[in-house]
């Protein structure tokens, strides 16, 4: 099935068994697990940026737990 390539934003192909993501445009090839992490990382980076503007106190309560680990 077609999904969005996280790298070049073109159409990438996800294999039927959800094991591999392949993009013919930029030659991206990664497992679906890596793809999910890649997208999630990009989105969390994006919301971190937004969080900085929205208010420091709320964003830090959850984020600081990871850093103390
Ligand atoms: Zn691509």
């Amino acid at each position: 099935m077609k999904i969005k390539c996280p790298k070049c934003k073109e159409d990438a192909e996800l294999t039927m068994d959800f094991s591999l993501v392949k993009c013919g445009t930029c030659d991206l090839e990664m497992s679906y697990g890596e793809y999910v992490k890649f997208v999630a990382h990009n989105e969390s980076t994006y919301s971190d940026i937004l969080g900085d503007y929205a208010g420091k106190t709320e964003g830090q309560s959850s984020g600081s737990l990871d850093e103390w680990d």
Side-chain angles (χ1 to χ4, degrees), residues 7-39:
K7 207 170 162 187
C8 68
K9 313 294 183 203
E10 298 294 328
D11 281 348
E13 186 75 26
L14 173 63
T15 54
M16 293 299 281
D17 58 359
F18 288 83
S19 63
L20 198 65
V21 177
K22 269 185 168 181
C23 174
T25 308
C26 68
D27 286 335
L28 174 108
E29 191 175 316
M30 58 169 68
S31 73
Y32 186 62
E34 284 174 314
Y35 170 80
V36 169
K37 268 192 247 172
F38 194 95
V39 172

Side-chain angles (χ1 to χ4, degrees), residues 44-60:
S44 69
T45 306
Y46 185 61
S47 55
D48 278 354
I49 294 165
L50 290 180
D52 279 351
Y53 289 106
K56 298 253 178 206
T57 45
E58 277 188 17
Q60 277 180 358

